């Protein structure tokens, strides 16, 4: 199943016999608080206009638990996540399409969580809301309760020790910007640098100038150049397990399975006992 859907395909499916449940997950990584500015308000953006029928999902509250020793966006409590998805109308037998404001990071986080917990049919709107050419609505709908019960998979999730091991035995991709990987700047976390052995693979190189994902063949070539080969076990991390989900999505679009280290650098770097590498070399 393709993990990505175009706006034209979505418009067609919304008028079909089995329309998807639509989740609006607008969110932004914001440093506004440190600058004294109000943070981005995804719910306000949703209420100002969204694709008709969409339900707002809050990444910080429903797709993650509170920040702490396991990072800025740890896994949510699965019972609470399941309840949030059911409130949003998600059922196991109904397709789901997730979108955000265009970056597709937050949408990918929702996609990954639903897929990892057993939903069989979840896709991300390629390019997000800016690609939608149909009307928007401001009405806040209350959908019929869904029946989705999350059942986490035995694979697809890494912890810190698993990420460290994979960096030695397989391929661990760092989805952050190159300057953060190299440790030249670190605007958020305790220390800059990367997990020893990880390979720099900035998420923004998964998309073209229009913000849409590259074709599957080009994505496959990109990941091959980074060290992906048949039989390679792959993991991805970022700052807090959000943009890395975008990388896992891009890999899936290229037909390549990968695991997500949800705690990511925000968890890894919080522990002074863990090794940190700097510079362009993985080690």
């Amino acid at each position: 199943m393709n993990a990505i859907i175009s706006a034209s395909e979505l418009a067609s499916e919304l008028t079909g016999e089995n329309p998807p449940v639509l989740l609006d997950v607008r969110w932004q990584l914001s440093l506004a608080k440190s600058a004294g500015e109000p943070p981005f308000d995804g719910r306000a953006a949703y209420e100002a206009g969204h694709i008709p029928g969409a339900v707002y999902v809050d990444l910080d509250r429903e797709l993650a638990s509170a920040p702490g020793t396991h990072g800025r966006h740890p896994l949510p409590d699965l019972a609470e996540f399941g309840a949030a998805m059911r409130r949003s109308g998600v059922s196991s037998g109904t397709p789901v399409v997730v979108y955000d404001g265009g970056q597709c990071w937050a949408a990918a986080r929702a996609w990954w969580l639903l897929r990892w917990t057993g939903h069989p049919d979840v896709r991300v709107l390629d390019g997000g809301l800016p690609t939608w050419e149909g009307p928007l609505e401001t009405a806040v709908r209350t959908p019929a309760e869904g029946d989705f019960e999350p059942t986490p998979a035995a694979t697809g999730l890494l912890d810190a020790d698993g990420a460290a091991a994979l960096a030695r035995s397989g391929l661990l991709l760092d989805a952050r910007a190159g300057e953060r990987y190299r440790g030249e700047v670190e605007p958020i976390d305790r220390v800059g640098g990367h997990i020893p052995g990880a390979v720099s693979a900035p998420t923004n190189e998964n998309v073209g100038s229009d913000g849409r994902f590259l074709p599957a063949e080009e994505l496959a070539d990109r990941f091959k150049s980074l060290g992906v080969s048949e039989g390679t076990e792959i993991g991805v991390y970022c700052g807090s397990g959000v943009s890395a989900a975008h990388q896992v999505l891009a890999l899936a679009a290229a037909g390549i399975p990968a695991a997500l280290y949800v705690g990511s650098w925000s968890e890894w770097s919080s522990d002074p006992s863990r090794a940190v590498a700097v510079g362009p070399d993985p080690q």
Side-chain angles (χ1 to χ4, degrees), residues 56-78:
Y56 178 69
V57 173
D58 189 313
L59 185 148
D60 291 317
R61 293 178 174 84
E62 296 172 316
L63 304 182
S65 54
T69 57
H70 292 297
R72 284 191 305 279
H73 291 104
L75 281 177
D77 176 89
L78 290 185

Side-chain angles (χ1 to χ4, degrees), residues 9 26 31 37 45 60 75 85 96 102 104 107 129 132 139 186 193 222 264-265 271 273 276:
E9 290 170 331
R26 272 179 275 182
L31 304 178
E37 300 173 6
D60 291 317
L75 281 177
M85 292 300 97
V96 177
C104 291
L129 186 61
W132 178 255
E186 183 44 65
R222 160 171 156 73
S264 283
W265 189 248
D271 184 347
S273 72
V276 171

Side-chain angles (χ1 to χ4, degrees), residues 170-175 197-203 205-206 218-229 232 234 236 247 251 282:
L171 179 65
L172 183 65
L173 300 177
D174 185 318
V199 173
S200 180
T203 294
E205 295 180 15
N206 294 328
E218 292 183 30
L219 287 170
D221 288 342
R222 160 171 156 73
F223 293 121
K224 183 178 180 181
S225 73
L226 292 168
V228 172
S229 60
T232 304
I234 302 161
V236 188
Q247 192 97 284
L251 284 155

Side-chain angles (χ1 to χ4, degrees), residues 133-243:
E133 297 181 352
L136 299 178
E137 70 173 11
T138 58
V140 176
R141 301 189 183 185
T142 302
E145 183 89 358
D147 64 15
F148 179 67
E149 292 287 349
T151 304
T155 60
L157 176 68
L158 294 172
D159 61 10
D161 290 341
L166 187 57
R168 298 188 298 268
S169 65
L171 179 65
L172 183 65
L173 300 177
D174 185 318
R176 297 171 302 157
E179 58 268 25
R180 290 185 70 192
Y181 170 88
R182 295 187 295 271
E184 297 166 359
V185 299
E186 183 44 65
I188 308 172
D189 293 312
R190 185 186 67 83
V191 64
H194 58 270
I195 297 173
V199 173
S200 180
T203 294
N204 62 4
E205 295 180 15
N206 294 328
V207 300
S209 58
D210 60 358
R212 293 178 173 86
F213 281 92
L214 298 174
E217 297 80 5
E218 292 183 30
L219 287 170
D221 288 342
R222 160 171 156 73
F223 293 121
K224 183 178 180 181
S225 73
L226 292 168
V228 172
S229 60
E230 187 173 353
T232 304
E233 188 177 357
I234 302 161
V236 188
Y237 75 96
C238 58
S240 66
V242 178
S243 67

